Coordinates of all heavy atoms in Angstrom, one line a residue:
M1 N 97.4 131.0 104.1 CA 98.5 130.5 103.4 C 99.7 131.6 103.5 O 99.4 132.7 103.3 CB 98.2 130.2 102.0 CG 99.3 129.8 101.1 SD 99.0 129.3 99.4 CE 97.4 129.7 99.0
Y2 N 100.9 131.1 103.7 CA 102.0 132.0 103.7 C 102.7 132.0 102.4 O 102.9 130.9 101.8 CB 103.0 131.6 104.8 CG 102.4 131.6 106.2 CD1 102.0 130.5 106.8 CD2 102.3 132.9 106.8 CE1 101.4 130.6 108.1 CE2 101.7 132.9 108.1 CZ 101.3 131.8 108.7 OH 100.7 131.8 110.0
T3 N 103.1 133.2 101.9 CA 103.7 133.3 100.6 C 105.0 134.0 100.7 O 105.1 135.0 101.3 CB 102.8 134.0 99.6 OG1 101.5 133.3 99.5 CG2 103.4 134.1 98.2
F4 N 106.0 133.5 100.0 CA 107.3 134.1 99.9 C 107.3 134.8 98.6 O 107.1 134.2 97.5 CB 108.4 133.1 100.0 CG 109.8 133.6 99.9 CD1 110.6 133.8 101.0 CD2 110.4 133.9 98.7 CE1 111.9 134.3 101.0 CE2 111.7 134.3 98.6 CZ 112.4 134.6 99.7
I5 N 107.7 136.1 98.5 CA 107.8 136.9 97.3 C 109.3 137.2 97.1 O 109.9 137.8 97.9 CB 106.9 138.1 97.3 CG1 105.5 137.8 97.6 CG2 107.1 138.9 96.0 CD1 104.6 139.0 97.9
C6 N 109.8 136.7 96.0 CA 111.2 136.8 95.7 C 111.5 138.3 95.4 O 111.0 138.9 94.5 CB 111.6 136.0 94.5 SG 111.3 134.2 94.7
P7 N 112.5 138.9 96.2 CA 112.8 140.3 96.0 C 113.7 140.6 94.8 O 113.6 141.8 94.3 CB 113.5 140.7 97.3 CG 114.1 139.4 97.8 CD 113.2 138.3 97.3
V8 N 114.5 139.7 94.4 CA 115.4 139.9 93.2 C 115.4 138.6 92.4 O 115.1 137.5 92.9 CB 116.8 140.3 93.7 CG1 116.8 141.6 94.4 CG2 117.4 139.1 94.6
D9 N 115.9 138.7 91.2 CA 116.2 137.5 90.4 C 117.4 136.8 91.0 O 118.4 137.4 91.5 CB 116.7 137.9 89.0 CG 115.6 138.5 88.1 OD1 114.4 138.5 88.6 OD2 115.9 139.0 87.0
G10 N 117.2 135.5 91.1 CA 118.3 134.7 91.7 C 118.0 133.2 91.9 O 116.9 132.7 91.6
V11 N 119.0 132.6 92.5 CA 118.8 131.1 92.9 C 118.4 131.1 94.3 O 119.1 131.7 95.2 CB 120.1 130.4 92.6 CG1 120.0 128.9 93.1 CG2 120.5 130.4 91.2
Y12 N 117.3 130.4 94.6 CA 116.7 130.4 96.0 C 116.6 129.0 96.5 O 116.6 128.0 95.7 CB 115.3 131.0 96.0 CG 115.2 132.5 95.8 CD1 115.3 133.0 94.5 CD2 115.1 133.3 96.9 CE1 115.3 134.4 94.3 CE2 115.0 134.7 96.7 CZ 115.1 135.2 95.4 OH 115.0 136.6 95.3
V13 N 116.6 128.9 97.8 CA 116.4 127.6 98.5 C 115.1 127.7 99.2 O 114.9 128.7 100.0 CB 117.6 127.3 99.4 CG1 117.3 126.0 100.2 CG2 118.9 127.2 98.7
F14 N 114.2 126.7 99.1 CA 113.0 126.7 99.8 C 112.9 125.3 100.5 O 113.3 124.3 100.0 CB 111.8 126.8 98.8 CG 111.7 128.1 98.1 CD1 112.2 128.2 96.8 CD2 111.3 129.2 98.8 CE1 112.2 129.4 96.2 CE2 111.3 130.5 98.1 CZ 111.7 130.6 96.8
Q15 N 112.4 125.3 101.7 CA 112.3 124.1 102.5 C 111.0 124.1 103.3 O 110.5 125.1 103.7 CB 113.5 124.1 103.6 CG 114.8 124.1 102.9 CD 115.9 124.1 104.0 OE1 115.8 124.7 105.0 NE2 117.0 123.4 103.7
S16 N 110.5 122.9 103.4 CA 109.2 122.8 104.2 C 109.2 121.4 104.9 O 109.8 120.4 104.4 CB 108.0 122.9 103.3 OG 106.8 122.9 104.0
A17 N 108.7 121.4 106.1 CA 108.5 120.2 106.9 C 107.0 120.2 107.3 O 106.4 121.3 107.5 CB 109.4 120.2 108.1
L18 N 106.4 119.0 107.4 CA 105.1 118.9 107.8 C 104.9 117.8 108.8 O 105.7 116.8 108.8 CB 104.1 118.8 106.6 CG 104.2 117.4 105.9 CD1 102.9 116.8 105.9 CD2 104.7 117.6 104.5
L19 N 103.8 117.8 109.6 CA 103.5 116.8 110.5 C 102.1 116.3 110.2 O 101.2 117.1 110.1 CB 103.6 117.2 111.9 CG 103.3 116.1 113.0 CD1 104.4 115.1 113.0 CD2 103.2 116.8 114.4
A20 N 101.9 115.0 110.0 CA 100.5 114.5 109.8 C 99.9 114.1 111.1 O 100.6 113.6 112.0 CB 100.6 113.2 108.9
E21 N 98.7 114.4 111.2 CA 97.9 114.1 112.5 C 97.9 112.6 112.7 O 98.2 111.8 111.8 CB 96.5 114.5 112.3 CG 96.3 116.0 112.2 CD 96.1 116.7 113.6 OE1 96.3 116.0 114.6 OE2 95.8 117.9 113.6
H22 N 97.6 112.2 113.9 CA 97.5 110.8 114.3 C 96.6 110.0 113.3 O 95.5 110.5 113.1 CB 97.0 110.7 115.7 CG 96.8 109.3 116.2 ND1 97.9 108.4 116.4 CD2 95.7 108.6 116.5 CE1 97.5 107.3 116.8 NE2 96.1 107.4 116.9
Q23 N 97.0 109.0 112.7 CA 96.3 108.1 111.8 C 95.7 108.9 110.6 O 94.6 108.7 110.2 CB 95.1 107.4 112.5 CG 95.6 106.4 113.6 CD 94.5 105.7 114.3 OE1 93.4 106.1 114.2 NE2 94.9 104.6 114.9
D24 N 96.6 109.7 110.0 CA 96.2 110.5 108.8 C 97.4 110.5 107.9 O 98.5 110.1 108.2 CB 95.8 111.9 109.2 CG 95.0 112.6 108.1 OD1 94.7 112.0 107.1 OD2 94.7 113.8 108.3
M25 N 97.1 111.0 106.7 CA 98.2 111.3 105.7 C 98.0 112.7 105.1 O 96.9 113.2 105.1 CB 98.2 110.2 104.6 CG 97.0 110.2 103.7 SD 96.8 111.5 102.5 CE 98.1 111.1 101.3
V26 N 99.2 113.3 104.8 CA 99.1 114.6 104.2 C 100.1 114.7 103.1 O 101.2 114.1 103.2 CB 99.5 115.7 105.3 CG1 99.5 117.1 104.6 CG2 98.5 115.6 106.5
Q27 N 99.7 115.3 102.0 CA 100.7 115.6 100.9 C 100.6 117.1 100.6 O 99.5 117.6 100.3 CB 100.2 114.8 99.7 CG 101.2 114.9 98.5 CD 100.8 114.0 97.3 OE1 100.2 112.9 97.5 NE2 101.0 114.5 96.1
I28 N 101.7 117.7 100.7 CA 101.8 119.2 100.3 C 102.9 119.4 99.3 O 103.7 118.5 99.1 CB 102.0 120.1 101.6 CG1 103.4 119.8 102.2 CG2 101.0 119.9 102.6 CD1 103.8 120.8 103.3
A29 N 102.8 120.5 98.6 CA 103.8 120.8 97.6 C 104.3 122.2 97.8 O 103.6 123.1 98.2 CB 103.2 120.7 96.2
I30 N 105.6 122.4 97.4 CA 106.1 123.8 97.3 C 105.8 124.2 95.9 O 106.1 123.6 94.9 CB 107.7 123.8 97.5 CG1 108.0 123.3 98.9 CG2 108.2 125.2 97.3 CD1 109.5 123.2 99.2
V31 N 105.0 125.4 95.8 CA 104.5 125.8 94.5 C 105.0 127.2 94.1 O 105.1 128.1 94.9 CB 102.9 125.9 94.7 CG1 102.3 126.4 93.4 CG2 102.3 124.6 95.1
L32 N 105.5 127.2 92.9 CA 106.1 128.5 92.3 C 105.1 129.0 91.3 O 105.0 128.4 90.2 CB 107.4 128.2 91.7 CG 108.5 127.7 92.6 CD1 108.5 126.2 92.7 CD2 109.9 128.2 92.2
D33 N 104.4 130.1 91.6 CA 103.5 130.7 90.7 C 102.5 129.7 90.1 O 102.3 129.6 88.9 CB 104.1 131.5 89.6 CG 104.7 132.8 90.1 OD1 104.2 133.4 91.1 OD2 105.6 133.4 89.4
G34 N 102.0 128.8 90.9 CA 101.1 127.8 90.4 C 101.6 126.5 89.9 O 100.9 125.5 89.6
T35 N 103.0 126.4 89.9 CA 103.6 125.1 89.4 C 104.3 124.4 90.5 O 105.1 125.0 91.3 CB 104.7 125.5 88.3 OG1 104.0 126.2 87.2 CG2 105.3 124.2 87.8
K36 N 104.0 123.1 90.7 CA 104.6 122.3 91.8 C 106.1 122.2 91.5 O 106.6 121.9 90.4 CB 104.0 120.9 91.8 CG 102.6 120.9 92.2 CD 102.0 119.5 92.2 CE 100.5 119.5 92.3 NZ 99.9 118.2 92.2
G37 N 106.9 122.5 92.6 CA 108.3 122.3 92.5 C 108.9 121.2 93.3 O 109.8 120.5 92.9
A38 N 108.3 120.9 94.4 CA 108.7 119.7 95.3 C 107.5 119.3 96.1 O 106.6 120.1 96.5 CB 109.8 120.1 96.2
I39 N 107.4 118.0 96.3 CA 106.2 117.4 97.0 C 106.7 116.7 98.3 O 107.8 116.0 98.2 CB 105.5 116.4 96.1 CG1 104.9 117.1 94.9 CG2 104.4 115.7 96.8 CD1 104.3 116.2 93.8
M40 N 105.9 116.8 99.3 CA 106.2 116.2 100.6 C 105.0 115.3 101.0 O 103.9 115.6 100.7 CB 106.4 117.2 101.7 CG 107.8 117.9 101.6 SD 107.6 119.6 102.1 CE 106.8 120.3 100.6
Y41 N 105.3 114.2 101.7 CA 104.3 113.3 102.1 C 104.6 112.9 103.5 O 105.7 112.6 103.9 CB 104.2 112.1 101.2 CG 103.3 111.0 101.7 CD1 102.0 111.0 101.4 CD2 103.8 109.9 102.5 CE1 101.1 110.0 101.9 CE2 102.9 109.0 103.0 CZ 101.6 109.0 102.6 OH 100.7 108.1 103.1
A42 N 103.5 112.8 104.3 CA 103.6 112.2 105.7 C 102.4 111.4 105.9 O 101.3 111.9 105.7 CB 103.8 113.3 106.7
G43 N 102.5 110.2 106.4 CA 101.3 109.4 106.7 C 101.6 108.2 107.5 O 102.7 107.7 107.4
T44 N 100.7 107.8 108.3 CA 100.9 106.7 109.2 C 99.6 106.1 109.6 O 98.6 106.7 109.7 CB 101.7 107.1 110.4 OG1 102.0 106.0 111.2 CG2 101.0 108.2 111.2
G45 N 99.6 104.8 109.9 CA 98.5 104.1 110.5 C 98.4 104.3 112.0 O 97.4 104.2 112.6
Q46 N 99.6 104.6 112.6 CA 99.6 104.8 114.1 C 100.6 105.9 114.4 O 101.5 106.2 113.7 CB 100.2 103.5 114.8 CG 99.3 102.3 114.5 CD 99.9 101.1 115.2 OE1 100.9 101.2 116.0 NE2 99.4 99.9 115.0
G47 N 100.3 106.7 115.4 CA 101.1 107.8 115.8 C 101.1 108.9 114.8 O 100.1 109.2 114.1
Y48 N 102.2 109.7 114.7 CA 102.3 110.8 113.8 C 103.5 110.5 112.9 O 104.3 109.7 113.1 CB 102.6 112.1 114.6 CG 101.5 112.5 115.6 CD1 101.4 111.9 116.9 CD2 100.5 113.4 115.2 CE1 100.4 112.3 117.7 CE2 99.5 113.7 116.0 CZ 99.5 113.2 117.3 OH 98.5 113.5 118.2
D49 N 103.5 111.3 111.8 CA 104.6 111.1 110.8 C 105.0 112.5 110.3 O 104.2 113.4 110.1 CB 104.2 110.2 109.6 CG 105.3 109.8 108.7 OD1 106.4 109.7 109.2 OD2 105.1 109.6 107.5
Q50 N 106.3 112.6 110.0 CA 106.8 113.9 109.5 C 107.4 113.7 108.2 O 108.1 112.7 107.9 CB 107.9 114.5 110.5 CG 108.4 115.8 110.1 CD 108.4 116.8 111.3 OE1 108.6 116.4 112.4 NE2 108.3 118.1 111.0
G51 N 107.2 114.7 107.3 CA 107.7 114.7 105.9 C 108.5 116.0 105.7 O 108.3 117.0 106.4
F52 N 109.5 116.0 104.9 CA 110.4 117.1 104.6 C 110.9 117.1 103.2 O 111.1 116.0 102.6 CB 111.6 117.1 105.5 CG 112.6 118.2 105.2 CD1 112.5 119.4 105.8 CD2 113.7 117.9 104.4 CE1 113.4 120.5 105.5 CE2 114.6 118.9 104.1 CZ 114.5 120.2 104.6
N53 N 111.0 118.3 102.6 CA 111.7 118.4 101.3 C 112.2 119.8 101.1 O 111.9 120.7 101.8 CB 110.7 118.1 100.2 CG 111.3 117.5 98.9 OD1 112.5 117.6 98.8 ND2 110.6 116.8 98.1
S54 N 113.2 119.9 100.2 CA 113.7 121.2 99.9 C 113.9 121.3 98.3 O 113.8 120.3 97.6 CB 115.1 121.4 100.5 OG 116.0 120.4 100.1
L55 N 114.0 122.6 97.9 CA 114.0 122.8 96.5 C 115.0 124.0 96.2 O 114.9 125.0 96.9 CB 112.6 123.3 96.0 CG 112.5 123.7 94.6 CD1 112.7 122.6 93.6 CD2 111.1 124.3 94.4
V56 N 115.9 123.8 95.3 CA 116.8 124.9 94.9 C 116.4 125.2 93.4 O 116.4 124.3 92.6 CB 118.3 124.4 94.9 CG1 119.2 125.5 94.4 CG2 118.7 124.0 96.3
T57 N 116.1 126.5 93.2 CA 115.5 126.8 91.9 C 115.8 128.3 91.5 O 116.0 129.1 92.4 CB 114.0 126.6 91.9 OG1 113.5 126.8 90.5 CG2 113.2 127.5 92.8
L58 N 115.8 128.6 90.3 CA 116.0 129.9 89.8 C 114.6 130.6 89.8 O 113.6 130.1 89.3 CB 116.5 129.9 88.3 CG 116.7 131.2 87.6 CD1 117.8 132.0 88.4 CD2 117.1 131.0 86.2
C59 N 114.5 131.8 90.4 CA 113.3 132.6 90.5 C 113.5 134.0 90.0 O 114.6 134.5 90.0 CB 112.8 132.7 91.9 SG 112.2 131.1 92.6
K60 N 112.4 134.5 89.4 CA 112.4 135.9 89.0 C 111.9 136.8 90.1 O 111.1 136.4 91.0 CB 111.5 136.1 87.8 CG 112.0 135.3 86.6 CD 113.1 136.0 85.9 CE 113.4 135.3 84.6 NZ 114.6 135.8 84.0
R61 N 112.3 138.1 90.1 CA 111.9 139.1 91.0 C 110.3 139.1 91.0 O 109.7 139.1 89.9 CB 112.4 140.4 90.7 CG 112.0 141.6 91.6 CD 112.7 142.9 91.2 NE 112.3 143.9 92.1 CZ 111.4 144.8 91.8 NH1 110.8 144.8 90.6 NH2 111.1 145.7 92.7
G62 N 109.7 139.1 92.1 CA 108.2 139.2 92.2 C 107.5 137.8 92.2 O 106.3 137.7 92.3
Q63 N 108.3 136.7 91.9 CA 107.6 135.4 91.8 C 107.2 135.0 93.2 O 107.8 135.3 94.2 CB 108.6 134.4 91.3 CG 108.0 133.1 91.0 CD 109.0 132.2 90.1 OE1 110.1 132.5 89.8 NE2 108.4 131.0 89.7
H64 N 106.0 134.4 93.2 CA 105.4 134.0 94.5 C 105.6 132.5 94.7 O 105.4 131.6 93.8 CB 103.9 134.2 94.5 CG 103.5 135.6 94.5 ND1 103.7 136.5 93.5 CD2 102.9 136.3 95.5 CE1 103.3 137.7 93.8 NE2 102.8 137.6 95.0
V65 N 106.1 132.1 95.9 CA 106.3 130.7 96.3 C 105.6 130.5 97.6 O 105.7 131.2 98.5 CB 107.8 130.5 96.4 CG1 108.1 129.0 96.7 CG2 108.6 130.9 95.2
C66 N 104.9 129.3 97.6 CA 104.1 129.0 98.9 C 104.1 127.5 99.0 O 104.5 126.7 98.1 CB 102.7 129.6 98.8 SG 101.7 129.0 97.5
V67 N 103.5 127.0 100.0 CA 103.2 125.6 100.2 C 101.7 125.4 100.0 O 100.9 126.2 100.4 CB 103.7 124.9 101.5 CG1 105.2 124.9 101.5 CG2 103.2 125.7 102.7
H68 N 101.3 124.3 99.4 CA 99.9 124.0 99.1 C 99.5 122.6 99.6 O 100.2 121.6 99.2 CB 99.6 124.1 97.6 CG 98.2 123.9 97.2 ND1 97.8 122.7 96.7 CD2 97.1 124.7 97.2 CE1 96.6 122.7 96.4 NE2 96.1 123.9 96.7
N69 N 98.4 122.5 100.4 CA 97.9 121.2 100.8 C 97.2 120.6 99.5 O 96.3 121.1 99.0 CB 96.9 121.3 101.9 CG 96.4 120.0 102.5 OD1 96.6 119.0 101.9 ND2 95.8 120.1 103.7
E70 N 97.7 119.4 99.1 CA 97.1 118.8 97.9 C 95.7 118.2 98.1 O 95.0 118.0 97.1 CB 98.0 117.6 97.4 CG 99.4 118.1 97.0 CD 99.4 118.9 95.7 OE1 99.2 118.3 94.7 OE2 99.5 120.2 95.8
H71 N 95.3 118.0 99.4 CA 94.0 117.4 99.6 C 93.4 118.1 100.9 O 93.2 117.4 101.9 CB 94.1 115.9 99.9 CG 94.8 115.2 98.8 ND1 94.2 114.9 97.6 CD2 96.1 114.7 98.7 CE1 95.1 114.2 96.8 NE2 96.2 114.1 97.5
P72 N 93.1 119.4 100.8 CA 92.7 120.1 102.0 C 91.3 119.7 102.6 O 91.1 119.8 103.8 CB 92.7 121.6 101.6 CG 92.5 121.5 100.1 CD 93.2 120.2 99.7
D73 N 90.5 119.2 101.8 CA 89.1 118.8 102.3 C 89.2 117.4 103.0 O 88.3 117.1 103.8 CB 88.1 118.7 101.1 CG 87.9 120.0 100.5 OD1 88.1 121.1 101.2 OD2 87.6 120.1 99.3
E74 N 90.2 116.6 102.7 CA 90.3 115.3 103.3 C 91.3 115.1 104.4 O 91.2 114.3 105.3 CB 90.7 114.3 102.2 CG 89.7 114.3 101.0 CD 90.3 113.5 99.8 OE1 91.1 112.6 100.0 OE2 89.8 113.7 98.7
H75 N 92.4 116.0 104.4 CA 93.5 115.8 105.3 C 94.0 117.1 105.9 O 94.0 118.1 105.1 CB 94.7 115.1 104.6 CG 94.3 113.8 104.0 ND1 94.0 112.7 104.7 CD2 94.1 113.4 102.7 CE1 93.6 111.7 103.9 NE2 93.7 112.1 102.7
T76 N 94.3 117.1 107.1 CA 94.7 118.3 107.8 C 96.2 118.3 108.1 O 96.7 117.3 108.6 CB 94.0 118.5 109.1 OG1 92.6 118.5 108.8 CG2 94.3 119.8 109.8
V77 N 96.9 119.4 107.9 CA 98.3 119.6 108.3 C 98.3 120.0 109.7 O 97.7 120.9 110.1 CB 99.0 120.6 107.4 CG1 100.4 120.8 107.9 CG2 99.0 120.1 105.9
F78 N 99.1 119.3 110.6 CA 99.3 119.7 112.0 C 100.2 120.9 112.0 O 101.4 120.8 111.8 CB 99.9 118.5 112.7 CG 99.8 118.6 114.2 CD1 98.7 118.3 114.9 CD2 100.9 119.1 114.9 CE1 98.6 118.4 116.3 CE2 100.9 119.2 116.3 CZ 99.7 118.9 117.0
L79 N 99.6 122.1 112.4 CA 100.4 123.3 112.3 C 101.2 123.7 113.5 O 102.2 124.4 113.4 CB 99.4 124.5 111.9 CG 98.7 124.4 110.5 CD1 97.7 125.5 110.4 CD2 99.8 124.4 109.4
V80 N 100.8 123.3 114.7 CA 101.4 123.9 115.9 C 102.8 123.4 116.0 O 103.1 122.3 116.4 CB 100.6 123.4 117.1 CG1 101.2 124.0 118.4 CG2 99.1 123.8 117.0
N81 N 103.8 124.3 115.7 CA 105.2 124.2 115.9 C 105.9 123.1 115.1 O 107.1 122.9 115.2 CB 105.6 123.9 117.4 CG 105.2 125.1 118.2 OD1 105.3 126.3 117.8 ND2 104.7 124.8 119.4
Y82 N 105.2 122.3 114.3 CA 105.8 121.2 113.6 C 105.8 121.3 112.1 O 106.3 120.5 111.4 CB 105.1 119.9 114.0 CG 105.2 119.6 115.5 CD1 104.2 119.8 116.3 CD2 106.4 119.1 116.0 CE1 104.3 119.5 117.7 CE2 106.5 118.8 117.3 CZ 105.5 119.0 118.2 OH 105.6 118.8 119.5
T83 N 105.1 122.3 111.6 CA 105.0 122.5 110.1 C 105.6 123.8 109.8 O 105.2 124.8 110.4 CB 103.5 122.4 109.6 OG1 103.1 121.1 109.9 CG2 103.5 122.6 108.1
T84 N 106.6 123.8 108.9 CA 107.4 125.0 108.6 C 107.5 125.2 107.1 O 107.4 124.3 106.3 CB 108.8 125.0 109.3 OG1 109.5 123.9 108.7 CG2 108.7 124.8 110.8
F85 N 107.8 126.5 106.8 CA 108.1 126.8 105.4 C 109.1 128.0 105.4 O 108.9 129.0 106.1 CB 106.9 127.2 104.6 CG 107.1 127.8 103.3 CD1 107.7 127.1 102.3 CD2 106.7 129.1 103.0 CE1 108.0 127.6 101.0 CE2 107.0 129.7 101.7 CZ 107.6 128.9 100.7
S86 N 110.2 127.9 104.7 CA 111.2 129.0 104.6 C 111.8 129.1 103.3 O 111.8 128.1 102.5 CB 112.3 128.8 105.7 OG 113.0 127.6 105.4
G87 N 112.3 130.2 102.9 CA 113.0 130.4 101.7 C 114.0 131.5 101.9 O 113.9 132.4 102.7
F88 N 115.1 131.4 101.1 CA 116.2 132.4 101.2 C 116.9 132.4 99.8 O 117.0 131.4 99.1 CB 117.1 132.2 102.3 CG 117.9 130.8 102.3 CD1 119.1 130.7 101.7 CD2 117.3 129.7 102.9 CE1 119.8 129.5 101.7 CE2 118.0 128.5 102.9 CZ 119.3 128.4 102.3
L89 N 117.5 133.6 99.6 CA 118.3 133.8 98.4 C 119.7 133.1 98.6 O 120.4 133.4 99.5 CB 118.5 135.3 98.1 CG 119.4 135.7 97.0 CD1 118.8 135.3 95.6 CD2 119.6 137.2 97.0
L90 N 120.1 132.3 97.6 CA 121.4 131.6 97.6 C 122.4 132.6 97.0 O 123.5 132.8 97.5 CB 121.3 130.3 96.9 CG 122.4 129.3 97.2 CD1 122.7 129.0 98.7 CD2 122.2 128.0 96.5
W91 N 122.1 133.0 95.7 CA 122.9 134.1 95.1 C 122.0 134.8 94.1 O 121.1 134.2 93.5 CB 124.1 133.5 94.5 CG 124.0 132.6 93.3 CD1 123.7 132.9 92.0 CD2 124.1 131.2 93.3 NE1 123.7 131.8 91.2 CE2 123.9 130.7 92.0 CE3 124.4 130.2 94.3 CZ2 124.0 129.4 91.7 CZ3 124.4 128.9 94.0 CH2 124.2 128.5 92.7
E92 N 122.3 136.0 93.9 CA 121.6 136.9 92.9 C 122.1 136.7 91.5 O 123.3 136.4 91.3 CB 121.7 138.3 93.3 CG 120.8 139.3 92.6 CD 120.8 140.7 93.2 OE1 121.4 140.9 94.3 OE2 120.3 141.6 92.5
V93 N 121.3 136.7 90.5 CA 121.7 136.7 89.1 C 121.2 137.9 88.4 O 120.2 138.5 88.8 CB 121.2 135.4 88.4 CG1 121.8 134.2 89.0 CG2 119.7 135.3 88.4
E94 N 121.9 138.3 87.4 CA 121.5 139.5 86.6 C 120.4 139.1 85.7 O 120.4 138.0 85.1 CB 122.7 140.1 85.9 CG 123.7 140.7 86.7 CD 124.8 141.4 85.9 OE1 124.5 141.9 84.8 OE2 125.9 141.4 86.4
S95 N 119.5 140.0 85.5 CA 118.4 139.8 84.5 C 119.1 139.9 83.1 O 119.9 140.8 82.9 CB 117.3 140.8 84.6 OG 116.7 140.7 85.9
T96 N 118.7 139.0 82.2 CA 119.2 139.1 80.9 C 118.3 139.9 80.0 O 117.1 139.5 79.9 CB 119.4 137.7 80.3 OG1 120.2 136.9 81.1 CG2 120.0 137.7 78.9
P97 N 118.7 141.0 79.4 CA 117.8 141.8 78.6 C 117.5 141.1 77.3 O 118.3 140.4 76.8 CB 118.6 143.1 78.3 CG 120.0 142.8 78.5 CD 120.1 141.6 79.5
I98 N 116.3 141.3 76.9 CA 115.8 140.7 75.6 C 116.1 141.7 74.5 O 115.7 142.8 74.5 CB 114.4 140.3 75.6 CG1 114.1 139.3 76.7 CG2 113.9 139.8 74.3 CD1 112.6 139.0 77.0
V99 N 116.9 141.2 73.5 CA 117.2 142.1 72.4 C 116.4 141.7 71.2 O 116.4 140.5 70.8 CB 118.7 142.0 72.0 CG1 119.1 142.9 70.8 CG2 119.6 142.3 73.2
V100 N 115.7 142.7 70.6 CA 114.8 142.4 69.5 C 115.4 143.1 68.3 O 115.7 144.3 68.3 CB 113.4 142.9 69.7 CG1 112.5 142.6 68.5 CG2 112.8 142.2 71.0
G101 N 115.5 142.4 67.2 CA 116.0 143.0 65.9 C 117.4 142.7 65.5 O 118.2 142.2 66.0

């Protein structure tokens, strides 16, 4: 599994595309520290099918973002050149200090 680790606090864009094998279906999610952020689906009775989604979200420095196959034991993601995952910083935001007292 490939993981993007956010280098700074900021607003990030994440995108993923997937290809379902011939006569199969696949559902994957962009996951932020264990929480689903966006879900993609590809499935077909004949041929192949492609799914795509993107997510714009606020992330903290060190947060882990990855894609996760929702049904890995039942369905396979076609990886060769057709399934991608990317993320980039849109703009940096300052951390807000917590004031106690």
